[in-house]
Structure formats: structure tokens, C-alpha cells
Amino acid sequence: MTRKVYGACPHDCPDTCGVITEVANGRAVKFYGDPNHPITKSWLCAKVRPYLDHVYHPNRLQFPLRRVGAKGSGQWQRISWDEALGEIGRRWREIIAQYGAAAILPYSYSGTLGLVQMSAASSRFWNRLGASQLERAICGAAAEFAVEMTLGARHSQPYDHVQHSKLVIIWGHNPVSTAPHFMPFLRAAQRNGTQVVVIDPRRTRTAVGADWHIAPKPTTDGALALGLAHIIVQEGLHDEEWLRAYTVGWPELRARLVEYPPQRVAQITGVAAEEIVKLARLYATTQPALIKIADGLQRNRMGGQTVRAICALPALTAQYGQRGGGLAYSTSGYLKWDGRSLKHWPDCPPPGRVVNMNRLGAALLGEVTNPPIMSLFVFGSNPAAIAPHAGKVVAGLRRDDLFTVVHELFMTDTAVYADIVLPATSQLEQTDLHKAYGHTLLSYNAPAIPPLGEAKSNWDLMRLLAAEMGFREPWLQQTPDEVIAEVLAGTAAINPALKGITLERLKTEGSVALHLETAVPFADLRFPTASGKVELYCQRLGAQELDPLPGYEPASDDGTDDGQPLNGRFSPDLALTLISAAAHHFVTSTFANSVAMLLHEGEPFIEIHPQDAARRGVAQGDKVVVANGRSACEFVAKVTDAVRPGVVAAPKGRWSQHQGNGRNVNWLTSDALGDMAGQSTFHSNTVWVWKREA
Ligand SMILES: Nc1nc2c(c(=O)[nH]1)N[C@H]1C(S)=C(S)[C@@H](COP(=O)(O)OP(=O)(O)OC[C@H]3O[C@@H](n4cnc5c(=O)[nH]c(N)nc54)[C@H](O)[C@@H]3O)O[C@H]1N2
Ligand SMILES: Nc1nc2c(c(=O)[nH]1)N[C@H]1C(S)=C(S)[C@@H](COP(=O)(O)OP(=O)(O)OC[C@H]3O[C@@H](n4cnc5c(=O)[nH]c(N)nc54)[C@H](O)[C@@H]3O)O[C@H]1N2
Ligand code: SF4
Ligand SMILES: [Mo]
């Protein structure tokens, strides 16, 4: 007898696929895409198709472990859950007595994106405890902020509206790998004549399938956007009437555009002036025109302003509010969970101080004081592998006086340094509710199998921790379904998008579409900003001492470790810019311990342009050192013109424990913050490359 269980893919991906697990005798035997899901349409990506290998991976952690050797030595002793919780409670009570609860830092991110296992589990208990707050700025903080400041909300076209677009500019985004279910819609549109332009310093899988690939220097896209705007205005291709009616600050922006003639923009971006002119004309005369972005574009020091400048283009050409036109970024703004019912703020002590997750290493090493961080609790994230400046993160994790607990499915680069490791359930073993950032369906995930070994879900662990700390509030002890029901009810009271959507319906139907008045974002041309218009000039940015107009400034990394001199080790004219974008077969570091995925990805490699390789005496397949003031890592060179000269690329997500000298690409990345919202700056790091002598 097999049983079918409906669920949702929990991983950090805009598609949030509907999945079906077939279960026989308590074991999952088949796993596939839900044929009735309008986005998934029965197929899953290469990463998640063999999901049962992930769930039943021989290295799954199944029991609590206590460190017995030195930190990082890999010597463990199996303990019971009671012992583990007792030790955590005892250590925390000591820390709280001496330093206060803010000395405890929970660190979690996108292992799962569920309402219960991510959102409730990363807020309720920690708020009640009064722990430090984590500024969740590692991914798309600057773009989210820039879009909200400019347009008022993150609203985006459904994938299938691309059939109405005559032109699609995919800008610093690689959906073939990172939003795969958008691609069949795009390909269908292309067959009907839609033109596709990709703007990316790398010839990505997405760029290969485009009509035109433009490869600017990283971090210069803001100038490129302003250069396009310059030409559009100069040639009178803009819509003056629309700008006057629906924007704030058009005269000011217009004055600024004078600074961005094609020759100057060509110099900044490395894109030929003729190409810039051609793209401006194409964009302004081929409508509806859609600009599709994600977060890679803004993972640098100019990310916020870059997104602001791009947001101005659909305003110049009156593309907002058009079916198939405007900006496609994220659908997350349609449904924001009611903070009160989700997080229970009013029932908690005042929020603890905020620690930016991009500064984890620095924070552990003393940047954060009063109180210092004395305990770190990691779940749903692998900071030793995914946070910038990993050398600092690892040095922090090695601190003898830091009490570290890691709740994980696997012995990751982070878990290796824990004092206590707790086993976590996979999505097949837990209950959750998922909203997507690429579409507007809400999906219920029912548990298909019992937890492996003694694994517990994030939420069940939070319930146990709350009990251990003596917190008796019922909202800390709810079942997952009770959490979902409470948050749905609280959110429905303030957001009509949930009209008619109940837990019962979600449980029987699996996926339910949000109730939106129209699928076309900003169809009524009323923008939920302070002014009700597109804010080309944004007062609120000015108030934060940020440029209130979209602009561009050169902003490169110096490749140093917090400004420490490079001591002549690296010659400035041999510097390269390192991008570490999404790997096709991993989701950041998830699946990077799968033998099959590792075979697909091959050895840890760095892509380098033939000119740059020749200058350094590097040939195809050579072992190379990639270094800067922060660290030195080992890769194999892939010599290819898929990267533009001056740029090297090594995908994110590799585990350090699987790589050359035990250091993955994040040993090289900078923990400097971007121009807005504490954004990470992974895609614009200065490095030097040379051939490794045998
Ligand atoms: N297969 C796979 N899918 C994923 C992920 C994964 O790791 N693997 N990660 C998930 C996550 S966490 C996220 S946030 C999304 C991200 O989704 P994307 O934003 O699509 O992913 P990235 O690969 O980070 O960046 C996209 C592209 O930006 C380019 N880029 C970098 N710097 C610049 C620049 O300055 N200008 C321009 N024009 N382009 C630039 C990179 O070369 C890259 O090809 O994907 C999600 N989906
Ligand atoms: N160099 C470089 N680094 C980057 C980026 C980049 O572009 N370049 N991108 C950044 C971005 S956009 C993001 S979003 C981050 C993502 O970084 P993370 O949020 O850390 O994501 P993952 O690497 O997927 O690690 C998630 C971990 O959670 C575990 N996990 C999964 N489900 C559960 C669960 O239910 N409970 C518990 N306790 N654990 C679970 C998984 O086993 C995995 O080890 O990485 C960032 N790092
Ligand atoms: S990672 Fe994305 S494309 Fe793959 S199954 Fe999950 S939601 Fe679907
Ligand atoms: Mo992300």
C-alpha cells in the first residue's frame, strides 16, 4: 500500500515547487513534482529530483552529539536529548546571569523558507528570550529596500505574463539555474518572437539562450542604467506626461542624467558606447518590455543604487502597470505575515541589539561588545561555508569561550565547530506552510515520514528550548498547525489576499492561489510609497544620508583584510574581480555533499578569461592559487571567454571540508557591507590568481 503526501520544496528558490512523496511502510519510495501545480507542472530541478538520496543520505545526523576533543577536532560523544537540552539550559542560564540574554545570538537563514520552520522558529522563542536580533541581510536586503523605497512594494508579474512581453532584459540574474520554472514560459515567448537580452559579466546558461548578451564590469550596472536613461531622454523616447503624473523627482533625475553620456558610461562599464545606444533604443521602442532582476545583481557595494537606477527605466518608458512590462523582481510583497501573530512582539521583552549576519566573524571576534557574543545557536544555515570572510568566521567559531550549538541535517563546515550538535528533520519529516517569491501560490507541506533517528524539526526544538528555559506561554508550545492557523487568521485580518484561504483548504488542496485583484503589478498606477508615486527622488533615502536620486559611484573592494596593508604581495595591475554566483547543482551549500551533484559540478574551479590566464601563465586545467589579503584558496583553472576579461568566477556553495586546502570561495570574499540595508557584497571581491607550483 503506498500513500501520496503533498508538500512543497522548502529551499531558497523562487519557484517553491509543489511535490508529491509516495510512502510505503513508513518509508518514502518516490518523490516527484506535482503535475497539478501551475508552476511546477510535474517537473523538478536537477538538484531536488533525487531528493530521497538527500533525505536518506548515509551521513544524516540522527542523534545529539557533544564535543569531546578540541573545537573542530571532530571527536564526538552521543548524548540523549535530555542531556543536550539540560546542558544548553545550564550554559545559557550562566551566560544570562553574567552578560544578559543579548549575549546569545541565534543564526539562521534559508535552509528552509517555511512559515513555521523558518519564520516562527527564528523569532518567537528568541524574542521571548531577549536574545540578539539577527539582521538578515546576506541575500537581497539592498534590492528589497531599494524596490520598496522606489515603488512602495515588491509586486511582480506571474511567470506566464512573459508571453505578453516583446522584450525581456534579464539583468544580473541566471534563472536557468536559479529560477528554472520561469524558463519554459520564457522559451514559449521566445518562440513567439520575444527578444531576450541578458546583462551579466558572465556568459551564463541563461545568456547562452538569449538573443544578445551584454557583459559589463561588475558593480557598474547603475551607471549602465543611467546611461540608457540618458539616451532615451536625449532621443525623446521617454514619456514626459507619464513621468509628470506618476513619479516624484523627474526634473531632478533628468538633471542628473546629463552626467551619463554614452562615452563616459562605456568607460565605466566596459560596454561599447554603440551597444549602450542600441540597447537604449531597443528598450524604449519595443513594448511591453520587462526587466527581470533577482539578487545577484546587487550583491556588491553599489547594489542598492543599482536597483534604484534600474527601477527608473520602466518609469521613463511608462512600462509600470502594463501586462508583460515593468519590473519583475519578487512577489514577496503581496503577502507579508502579520508580525504580531507571527512573532508575538508585544508579549516579549524589548528587542535585543541587532547583529548583521554578514559581520558574523567580526562580531564573534570582538566587534560586538556589551555584551560580547558568548553563545551562538545555528540552525537552517551554514555560516562557516556561506558567510563572507570565512577565515574570520572560523576563527570566531574556534573561540574556546563561545558556546556553540548547531542544529543540522549534516556535519557541515559549521557543525564541525559546535559544542553540541542536534539532529534536524528534513522537509519530508515536518509540517509547514510556504509562500513563494516567484509566484503567488501558498502551499502546505504535510509530513510524509516520521523523523529519522532522533531528529527534531526547528519548531519542535524551539518548543523544547522554551520549556527548558521555563517559558510557559501557550504560543511557544503550539503545534505547527496551530502556528499556521494563528498567523493565517492574523494576516487575513489585514490583507485581503488571504480571503477564503484556510488551513483546512490548504490541507486538502495542497497549493492555493492568493486572492489578488489583478495579476498585473501596479495596474492602477497607484504606488504604495509615501507619495503614492514612483519615487525617483526619495526623501526617505535622503533622511538616511543616502543619495535620494539614483546614482553611481565607483566602489571596489581593495582585497585587504580590514585595511591591513598587502605588503607588496599583490600587484595592483594584476587584480581581478571575483564573482561567486549560484552553482547549478547546489542551493548555496545545500546538496554540496551529494556525490551525484558533486560529480555534475566537477572539481572546485575558477573561470578565467584566456587573456587573463595567458598573462599569468595559466593554462586550462592548471591548479591555481586564488588569493587576496584575506586568504589563499586552491582551484582548478577553467580558461574560458565565458567570463569577461578582468573577472574570475567560482560558484558559491562548496564545503570547505571538500576543497583543496580546506578553504572555499568565501575565505576570499569581503564582509564589507553594501550601500543600503547592510547588504552583503559577495560578487565584487578583488583577488589575484597565479599558477600553483607542483
Ligand atoms: N541552482 C541554484 N539556484 C539557486 C541558488 C543556488 O545556490 N543554486 N541560490 C538561491 C538563492 S539563495 C538566491 S538569492 C537566488 C539568486 O538568484 P540569482 O540572482 O539569479 O543568482 P546569482 O547567481 O547570485 O546571481 C545572478 C547573476 O548575477 C551576476 N552578477 C554578479 N555581479 C553582477 C554585476 O555586478 N552586474 C551584473 N549585471 N550581473 C552580476 C552573476 O554572474 C550571476 O550570473 O537563487 C536561488 N536559487
Ligand atoms: N560566496 C557567496 N556566498 C554566498 C552567496 C553568494 O552569492 N556568494 N549567497 C548568499 C545567499 S544569497 C544566501 S541566501 C546564503 C544562503 O546560506 P544558508 O542560508 O546558510 O543556506 P545553505 O547553504 O543552503 O545552508 C542551509 C543549511 O540548513 C540546513 N537545513 C535545511 N533544512 C533545515 C531545517 O529544517 N532545520 C535545520 N536546523 N537545518 C536545516 C541544511 O542542511 C544546510 O546546511 O548564502 C550566501 N552566501
Ligand atoms: S529548488 Fe526550486 S526548482 Fe528545484 S524543486 Fe525546489 S523550488 Fe523547484
Ligand atoms: Mo539568497
Side-chain angles (χ1 to χ4, degrees):
M1 263 292 284
T2 59
R3 191 166 61 88
K4 275 189 188 180
V5 182
Y6 287 80
C9 174
H11 294 289
D12 194 340
C13 169
D15 297 354
T16 310
C17 287
V19 298
I20 295 174
T21 308
E22 288 187 15
V23 183
N25 302 318
R27 198 175 161 90
V29 291
K30 261 184 154 181
F31 181 85
Y32 47 90
D34 180 354
N36 295 321
H37 190 285
I39 304 296
T40 314
K41 292 187 172 161
S42 83
W43 66 278
L44 301 175
C45 67
K47 317 174 282 290
V48 173
R49 221 174 294 135
Y51 208 58
L52 298 186
D53 294 343
H54 180 72
V55 171
Y56 293 116
H57 194 297
N59 298 350
R60 271 288 297 274
L61 296 167
Q62 305 212 15
F63 309 102
L65 300 172
R66 175 196 284 135
R67 171 173 72 87
V68 287
K71 284 212 174 182
S73 67
Q75 289 165 278
W76 307 98
Q77 170 192 43
R78 180 175 162 186
I79 55 174
S80 70
W81 268 100
D82 280 348
E83 284 174 281
L85 291 163
E87 184 163 335
I88 295 168
R90 183 175 58 73
R91 292 292 299 267
W92 280 0
R93 280 186 288 273
E94 284 167 14
I95 288 171
I96 292 167
Q98 194 178 346
Y99 299 96
I104 301 168
L105 176 68
Y107 194 102
S108 67
Y109 204 64
S110 64
T112 161
L113 298 188
L115 169 67
V116 180
Q117 309 298 347
M118 176 185 76
S119 305
S122 61
S123 57
R124 286 189 182 184
F125 165 71
W126 306 103
N127 296 347
R128 174 64 186 83
L129 185 66
S132 279
Q133 300 286 314
L134 189 71
E135 184 174 8
R136 301 169 79 85
I138 207 163
C139 178
E144 292 172 8
F145 179 74
V147 166
E148 286 183 2
M149 287 298 112
T150 316
L151 305 176
R154 280 175 275 152
H155 291 175
S156 193
Q157 288 77 1
Y159 286 175
D160 66 350
H161 276 205
V162 74
Q163 66 184 294
H164 305 290
S165 311
K166 292 276 178 285
L167 172 70
V168 181
I169 300 180
I170 301 177
W171 201 327
H173 171 34
N174 183 18
V176 168
S177 297
T178 64
H181 290 82
F182 171 66
M183 295 312 296
F185 298 105
L186 183 71
R187 296 290 181 243
Q190 285 179 290
R191 286 193 290 275
N192 282 326
T194 299
Q195 293 185 68
V196 176
V197 179
V198 168
I199 305 180
D200 197 306
R202 307 185 303 136
R203 188 170 64 241
T204 57
R205 288 178 190 239
T206 307
V208 169
D211 298 290
W212 185 11
H213 172 213
I214 297 172
K217 296 180 192 163
T219 321
T220 65
D221 303 79
L224 181 58
L226 295 168
L228 297 174
H230 175 104
I231 295 155
I232 291 169
V233 173
Q234 190 183 42
E235 303 197 350
L237 298 171
H238 63 298
D239 190 328
E240 190 74 40
E241 216 172 298
W242 199 98
L243 285 159
R244 260 195 245 126
Y246 302 113
T247 69
V248 175
W250 166 233
E252 290 88 343
L253 178 62
R254 186 178 183 137
R256 169 149 310 170
L257 293 181
V258 176
E259 298 165 31
Y260 294 91
Q263 283 69 23
R264 174 166 179 245
V265 173
Q267 214 157 40
I268 296 171
T269 60
V271 178
E274 310 77 74
E275 281 201 288
I276 300 167
V277 173
K278 187 175 140 195
L279 179 62
R281 290 181 184 150
L282 180 72
Y283 177 67
T285 58
T286 318
Q287 293 174 349
L290 184 68
I291 299 179
K292 184 164 164 60
I293 63 169
D295 292 319
L297 171 71
Q298 49 87 66
R299 239 171 258 134
N300 61 57
R301 295 191 193 197
M302 279 305 287
Q305 280 293 34
T306 297
V307 171
R308 288 262 300 146
I310 290 173
C311 285
L313 293 172
L316 282 174
T317 52
Q319 289 299 293
Y320 285 118
Q322 303 250 9
R323 194 175 289 266
L327 179 81
Y329 170 50
S330 157
T331 55
S332 9
Y334 288 115
L335 183 67
K336 288 191 174 169
W337 299 120
D338 169 47
R340 193 187 165 116
S341 33
L342 174 61
K343 301 184 178 172
H344 279 266
W345 276 121
D347 311 318
C348 297
R353 52 91 197 279
V354 177
V355 177
N356 187 312
M357 66 189 298
N358 299 315
R359 302 285 305 168
L360 177 64
L364 292 177
L365 293 179
E367 180 173 89
V368 166
T369 53
N370 198 21
I373 296 165
M374 299 307 295
S375 179
L376 179 71
F377 191 102
V378 180
F379 61 105
S381 184
N382 184 8
I386 65 83
H389 208 332
K392 279 204 296 199
V393 175
V394 168
L397 290 172
R398 283 184 182 277
R399 253 178 55 193
D400 267 328
D401 62 342
L402 179 74
F403 177 60
T404 304
V405 182
V406 177
H407 182 226
E408 249 302 343
L409 286 87
F410 298 104
M411 190 57 78
T412 59
D413 289 345
T414 310
V416 166
Y417 293 103
D419 294 284
I420 292 197
V421 176
L422 302 171
T425 45
S426 76
Q427 182 76 340
L428 267 51
E429 301 147 56
Q430 62 198 20
T431 301
D432 220 329
L433 182 69
H434 290 263
K435 67 174 200 159
Y437 61 96
H439 55 77
T440 55
L441 289 135
L442 208 50
S443 306
Y444 183 78
N445 182 80
I449 54 171
L452 259 66
E454 295 180 2
K456 291 192 190 296
S457 73
N458 294 350
W459 179 249
D460 284 345
L461 173 55
M462 297 311 144
R463 295 203 285 193
L464 291 168
L465 290 171
E468 172 64 35
M469 298 309 285
F471 303 149
R472 303 275 167 248
E473 289 83 347
W475 46 271
L476 291 170
Q477 294 301 334
Q478 288 170 336
T479 64
D481 276 353
E482 287 167 349
V483 174
I484 295 171
E486 181 186 348
V487 179
L488 279 177
T491 308
I494 52 170
N495 190 334
L498 281 181
K499 201 168 119 192
I501 302 181
T502 58
L503 177 58
E504 290 62 42
R505 248 191 93 189
L506 287 159
K507 279 182 149 179
T508 39
E509 294 171 42
S511 294
V512 178
L514 292 181
H515 177 83
L516 302 179
E517 268 174 34
T518 163
V520 178
F522 313 114
D524 58 3
L525 298 181
R526 291 217 305 264
F527 295 86
T529 53
S531 60
K533 299 181 178 191
V534 177
E535 299 212 342
L536 302 174
Y537 184 98
C538 180
Q539 204 90 53
R540 284 175 66 191
L541 290 180
Q544 294 185 33
E545 291 184 18
L546 292 164
D547 191 344
L549 282 175
Y552 167 79
E553 274 169 45
S556 61
D557 164 49
D558 61 10
T560 69
D561 183 0
D562 295 328
Q564 287 185 39
L566 293 169
N567 289 333
R569 282 191 296 154
F570 306 107
S571 141
D573 69 315
L574 285 174
L576 296 163
T577 302
L578 169 70
I579 289 176
S580 49
H584 189 73
H585 297 93
F586 312 143
V587 180
T588 309
S589 73
T590 300
F591 309 121
N593 63 339
S594 145
V595 174
M597 298 304 143
L598 285 167
L599 282 173
H600 284 304
E601 287 291 317
E603 278 183 279
F605 62 84
I606 188 146
E607 292 176 312
I608 183 167
H609 190 273
Q611 284 168 19
D612 292 325
R615 244 189 111 186
R616 291 161 182 81
V618 168
Q620 179 75 357
D622 277 353
K623 294 196 163 117
V624 292
V625 177
V626 183
N628 58 21
R630 296 182 277 271
S631 194
C633 302
E634 296 174 3
F635 291 92
V636 169
K638 262 194 196 174
V639 179
T640 167
D641 64 2
V643 285
R644 60 163 289 138
V647 171
V648 285
K652 66 170 172 174
R654 297 263 180 193
W655 292 21
S656 285
Q657 56 187 269
H658 300 153
Q659 186 158 349
N661 58 354
R663 296 174 181 192
N664 74 1
V665 72
N666 273 330
W667 286 69
L668 300 166
T669 56
S670 162
D671 57 0
L673 303 182
D675 59 345
M676 289 181 194
Q679 173 62 43
S680 63
T681 56
F682 288 110
H683 288 341
S684 55
N685 293 274
T686 296
V687 296
W688 286 263
V689 175
W690 60 86
K691 189 173 163 170
R692 209 174 115 212
E693 301 309 329

